[in-house]
Amino acid sequence: VQLVESGGGLVQAGDSLRLSCAASGSTFSFNAMAWFRQAPGKQRMLVASITGAGGTTWYADSVKGRFTISRDNAKNTMYLQMNSLKPEDTAVYYCNAAPPGTMVGGGSWGQGTQVTVSS
């Protein structure tokens, strides 16, 4: 699976952004998907994940209530709606596709999209 993120940018605190992750291949719906982020000088961290059918989601405490992960299997695309953005959300955001039998964080990665939130 090849992944391409888009939708990053420079916004002000309190603004919203929607990230997209477009996947190639016919096996998209079988993959659990996730968004990770990596801030300068910090380790990459899991932000949110979603199962193949989209029935189960998980969020890091730091984004719970502000971010929403979703997917459209007909379009081979995953999304991350980010509301009430904070400066601490500034990072490169990566999408990840974990095939069956692989934990989130394994599998394929996109190239990343920069999100910068100014105060």
Side-chain angles (χ1 to χ4, degrees):
V1 177
Q2 290 187 321
L3 305 171
V4 178
E5 302 98 333
S6 61
L10 172 63
V11 297
Q12 293 187 330
D15 285 351
S16 298
L17 276 177
R18 188 175 81 155
L19 305 183
S20 298
C21 173
S24 64
S26 60
T27 60
F28 177 77
S29 63
F30 297 116
N31 291 268
M33 299 291 295
W35 288 98
F36 286 73
R37 70 186 183 190
Q38 187 167 19
K42 296 189 177 181
Q43 288 190 328
R44 192 173 296 189
M45 63 164 279
L46 177 61
V47 175
S49 65
I50 187 167
T51 54
T56 302
T57 57
W58 177 92
Y59 297 93
D61 286 344
S62 57
V63 306
K64 202 171 293 183
R66 299 187 298 121
F67 289 12
T68 302
I69 189 171
S70 62
R71 64 191 296 164
D72 185 339
N73 287 342
K75 295 182 178 180
N76 277 16
T77 303
M78 174 181 65
Y79 306 97
L80 186 67
Q81 177 66 44
M82 305 186 295
N83 299 329
S84 302
L85 282 161
K86 304 175 180 180
E88 52 263 43
D89 294 319
T90 295
V92 178
Y93 284 72
Y94 298 90
C95 68
N96 168 247
T102 303
M103 293 181 63
V104 165
S108 304
W109 292 89
Q111 82 289 348
T113 186
Q114 176 71 48
V115 172
T116 303
V117 185
S118 64
S119 57

